[in-house]
Amino acid sequence: MGLMSFVIWIATGALAGWVAGRLMKGGGFGLLGNILLGILGAVVGGWAFGLLGLSVTGWVGLLVRAIAGASLLLFLAGLIKR
């Protein structure tokens, strides 16, 4: 993975974390926490989509996968936080 790909991956994860934080009512951990969960969510989303046999292409596909993973992480973190 080149430096530019890494920067795009981090930026997409950060955007996904912010979007997931807005989508998950009461599931937020603040801006920085949501961004970090979004970055991890990009990894989790890729793993989950792979398990389900789903494939996405392009930046929009990467963003959708990252938002799905970040939303899943926010949901699980909200359960643990209680």
Side-chain angles (χ1 to χ4, degrees), residues 17-65:
W18 180 78
V19 170
R22 304 293 292 166
L23 291 175
M24 301 294 291
K25 300 273 188 214
F29 289 90
L31 181 61
L32 185 59
N34 288 349
I35 288 172
L36 292 175
L37 281 173
I39 293 169
L40 290 174
V43 174
V44 170
W47 173 75
F49 272 47
L51 281 179
L52 296 172
L54 300 173
S55 171
V56 295
T57 58
W59 185 79
V60 173
L62 177 64
L63 183 61
V64 168
R65 186 174 66 188

